Amino acid sequence: MALPAFLDPLVNAPKWQKALFGVIGLGAIGGAAYALLLSPLQVQVGALRAQRAQLERDITENRAIVAELARFRRLVSETEQKLATLREKLPTEKETPPLYRSVSDAASNAGLGVALFEPKEAKLRDYYNEIPIILRAEGGYHQLGDFFERVAALPRVVNVTEWKFGPSKDTKKPVAAELILATYTYRPVGSAPAPKAATPGAPAATAPVKK
């Protein structure tokens, strides 16, 4: 079959021109293949790589969130345990009168002469009520130390927040002490204020402590 007339120059051209035309043809075919096939594939590959990188970042962030959530749960559990322990050590409002009696008995059993034992109105805190207790007593330093040990051994929390010591007129009890103790009751956030503290049956005040 005869070739079209417009191809005669190419058929009759020297070999080097035919080779050049072949290279140009192959280049054109390669460029068309790249434009039609390879370029879209490269775009898809680039998009997939970007998605993979984003997924890897998301996985890393999610792992950090899971680790932080686990740490938060541990903190919540530890806080709940501490709160349970705190509730055990803090008396309820119904338990405060017996606690007052225990503190007053600790002073008497230590050999102190109690002149005043007066719980004051509770001070509201975030999670608890702080109840100050004014205690005036006379005795020796050894007896005061014994009283402090007895208070520290009580199952409920009682702290000595302030103290003043001075001479006493009683030679058998040379130290006059004025102490401010503090006990606490648990108070959930938003609960009503605690009622004014009631004074248990304790000796009435006889004379102020000398300053």
Side-chain angles (χ1 to χ4, degrees):
M1 181 177 179
L3 295 174
F6 70 89
L7 294 178
D8 289 341
L10 179 62
V11 172
N12 298 322
K15 293 183 178 180
W16 67 269
Q17 290 183 352
K18 292 180 180 179
L20 179 61
F21 289 144
V23 171
I24 294 173
L26 290 175
I29 294 173
Y34 176 81
L36 295 176
L37 299 175
L38 296 180
S39 180
L41 289 177
Q42 286 184 342
V43 172
Q44 293 180 3
V45 170
L48 291 175
R49 287 176 176 174
Q51 292 179 2
R52 177 182 176 182
Q54 182 61 45
L55 289 175
E56 289 178 348
R57 288 193 294 268
D58 292 343
I59 291 172
T60 302
E61 292 177 358
N62 290 332
R63 285 176 178 173
I65 292 173
V66 170
E68 187 68 15
L69 180 60
R71 187 182 71 85
F72 177 74
R73 287 176 176 173
R74 288 195 300 271
L75 290 176
V76 170
S77 178
E78 293 173 359
T79 302
E80 289 177 347
Q81 293 176 0
K82 291 179 180 179
L83 183 58
T85 302
L86 183 64
R87 286 176 176 173
E88 292 178 358
K89 293 185 177 181
L90 299 185
T92 63
E93 293 177 5
K94 294 181 179 180
E95 294 173 328
T96 49
L99 177 61
Y100 298 153
R101 171 57 64 185
S102 297
V103 177
S104 179
D105 290 344
S108 299
N109 293 334
L112 297 177
V114 179
L116 176 66
F117 186 92
E118 183 181 5
K120 306 298 287 186
E121 187 173 356
K123 299 178 181 178
L124 272 62
R125 307 302 186 200
D126 289 339
Y127 301 100
Y128 60 91
N129 299 311
E130 180 181 339
I131 304 174
I133 303 172
I134 298 177
L135 174 65
R136 291 176 182 169
E138 295 178 344
Y141 286 105
H142 175 75
Q143 293 167 322
L144 285 169
D146 188 11
F147 168 69
F148 292 149
E149 290 181 0
R150 291 175 184 270
V151 168
L154 292 174
R156 303 297 187 179
V157 177
V158 179
N159 292 329
V160 181
T161 59
E162 297 181 28
W163 58 86
K164 294 179 182 178
F165 300 115
S168 171
K169 293 181 180 179
D170 189 345
T171 57
K172 295 181 180 180
K173 297 177 179 179
V175 180
E178 180 174 342
L179 308 175
I180 298 182
L181 311 176
T183 188
Y184 312 87
T185 58
Y186 176 71
R187 186 182 75 87
V189 175
S191 61
K196 187 175 181 179
T199 305
T206 56
V209 176
K210 290 185 179 180
K211 296 182 180 180

